[in-house]
């Protein structure tokens, strides 16, 4: 490589750094060599470089947004075993997977016994929302309440609810596994009221909404919460065998053989 080419590459890297073209800066030599091998025209070269930079930025955005969502594990809609849950209608699954309901601030409630894939679906919808460019935050119901209680104690509840309002999709997992106090119900009501008709919520629960009065410990608050959640909502009931139980039984079968 001639001294002139080295000097030119150095200047290109400096310019890429100044323009924050990180992918181009870090892969300058490889990209130039590939462009030479493919005999790209000037326009084709620019198109190639811009596309690569955009692809890298998009990958970085998805990675950071996924980390910020605090999903408990990695799940995708493509990885959901729809055949194992015949109660879940395939057409509804595909329709929800388009995430058009996010644009109209509608909610989704996933109801069913433990292990049928409710959390998997919720995470899958959240991951898809991130890929489409939306902000997502995942909480277990217990952790969400702990967050809201602390904010209330610190005098920052309004600020915390406003912060959560920035996320296009809020996922509340495992609602109903533990009972809430009337004070807890009031906190959830404030959050749901703030998001009503402006931001979407996904809730997973082992109890149907008709039993949420028992969950919240305050029938009046439960009615108010349900009124806002279910006004623009798709409720999905999933009945079937537990994935975890089925996997464990398969493991036992293999052990006995």
């Amino acid at each position: 490589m001639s001294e002139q080419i080295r000097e030119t590459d150095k200047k290109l890297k400096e310019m890429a750094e100044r323009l924050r073209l990180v992918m181009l800066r870090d892969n300058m030599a490889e990209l130039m060599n590939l462009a030479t091998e493919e005999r790209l025209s000037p326009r084709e070269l620019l198109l190639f470089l811009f596309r690569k930079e955009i692809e890298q930025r998009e990958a970085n955005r998805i990675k950071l947004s996924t980390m910020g969502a605090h999903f408990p594990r990695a799940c995708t809609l493509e990885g959901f075993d729809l055949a194992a849950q015949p109660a879940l209608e395939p057409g509804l699954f595909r329709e929800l997977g388009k995430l058009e309901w996010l644009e109209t601030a509608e909610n989704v409630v996933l109801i069913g016994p433990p292990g049928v894939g409710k959390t998997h679906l919720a995470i899958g919808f959240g991951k898809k929302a991130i890929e489409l460019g939306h902000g997502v935050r995942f909480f277990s119901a217990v952790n969400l309440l702990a967050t809201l209680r602390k904010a209330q104690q610190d005098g920052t509840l309004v600020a915390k609810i406003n912060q959560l309002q920035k996320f296009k999709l809020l996922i509340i997992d495992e609602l109903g596994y533990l009972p809430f106090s009337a004070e807890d119900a009031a906190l959830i009501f404030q959050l749901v009221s703030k998001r009503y008709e402006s931001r979407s919520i996904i809730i997973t629960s082992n109890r149907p909404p008709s039993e949420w009065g028992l969950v919240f410990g305050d029938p009046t608050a439960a009615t108010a919460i349900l009124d806002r959640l279910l006004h623009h909502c798709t409720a999905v009931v999933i009945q079937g065998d537990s994935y975890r139980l089925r996997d464990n039984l398969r493991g036992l079968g293999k052990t006995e053989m």
Side-chain angles (χ1 to χ4, degrees):
M1 182 183 293
S2 70
E3 186 61 32
Q4 183 179 2
I5 293 178
R6 289 194 185 93
E7 186 61 27
T8 300
D9 284 354
K10 180 181 178 182
K11 290 180 179 179
L12 285 171
K13 285 187 177 182
E14 290 172 353
M15 291 177 180
E17 174 72 25
R18 186 172 180 179
L19 294 171
R20 299 182 181 178
L21 302 175
V22 179
M23 193 281 305
L24 181 57
R25 178 201 66 193
D26 294 342
N27 301 278
M28 182 71 67
E30 295 86 346
L31 292 171
M32 292 298 103
N33 290 336
L34 182 58
T36 300
E37 292 171 5
E38 297 293 330
R39 298 181 179 180
L40 300 180
S41 69
R43 287 185 176 84
E44 289 173 332
L45 175 59
L46 287 174
L47 183 64
F48 172 74
L49 294 177
F50 288 160
R51 182 181 292 123
K52 287 296 183 181
E53 187 68 38
I54 290 171
E55 288 174 355
Q56 184 62 54
R57 289 191 179 190
E58 183 65 6
N60 290 341
R61 181 194 66 78
I62 290 174
K63 180 180 179 181
L64 290 174
S65 296
T66 300
M67 292 173 59
H70 296 279
F71 297 129
R73 58 182 182 272
C75 296
T76 64
L77 293 179
E78 293 77 13
F80 185 80
D81 188 359
L82 188 60
Q85 301 297 356
L88 180 55
E89 202 274 313
L92 177 60
F93 174 79
R94 290 191 294 270
E95 192 66 27
L96 290 174
K98 296 177 183 178
L99 267 63
E100 293 176 350
W101 45 274
L102 275 181
E103 301 304 327
T104 51
E106 297 179 42
N107 304 316
V108 174
V109 177
L110 303 170
I111 306 162
V116 296
K118 302 185 301 297
T119 301
H120 184 134
L121 279 175
I123 296 172
F125 290 136
K127 185 68 164 56
K128 180 70 175 294
I130 287 174
E131 292 170 358
L132 293 176
H134 303 303
V136 178
R137 186 66 167 89
F138 181 102
F139 284 97
S140 69
V142 172
N143 287 341
L144 175 61
L145 275 173
T147 298
L148 296 177
R149 286 175 190 149
K150 185 177 186 306
Q152 186 178 47
Q153 291 170 0
D154 295 342
T156 59
L157 181 61
V158 173
K160 174 58 67 175
I161 290 177
N162 287 337
Q163 180 188 35
L164 295 176
Q165 186 70 3
K166 296 177 182 178
F167 294 100
K168 186 82 168 179
L169 175 60
L170 179 66
I171 301 173
I172 306 174
D173 192 37
E174 297 184 338
L175 181 70
Y177 286 84
L178 294 174
F180 300 152
S181 66
E183 291 76 14
D184 294 336
L187 293 174
I188 294 294
F189 172 75
Q190 291 181 64
L191 177 65
V192 170
S193 294
K194 181 70 175 181
R195 298 183 68 84
Y196 178 58
E197 294 189 325
S198 64
R199 292 287 189 269
S200 295
I201 299 175
I202 291 178
I203 289 180
T204 75
S205 179
N206 64 328
R207 292 172 175 266
S210 60
E211 297 180 6
W212 285 11
L214 299 175
V215 174
F216 287 110
D218 184 341
T220 301
T223 299
I225 291 169
L226 282 169
D227 181 64
R228 286 157 180 77
L229 275 176
L230 301 182
H231 184 205
H232 306 291
C233 178
T234 299
V236 182
V237 179
I238 307 174
Q239 298 291 346
D241 296 330
S242 165
Y243 282 110
R244 291 186 288 272
L245 179 59
R246 184 168 60 247
D247 290 342
N248 288 337
L249 289 175
R250 286 174 181 169
L252 289 172
K254 290 178 181 178
T255 302
E256 293 170 355
M257 289 179 64

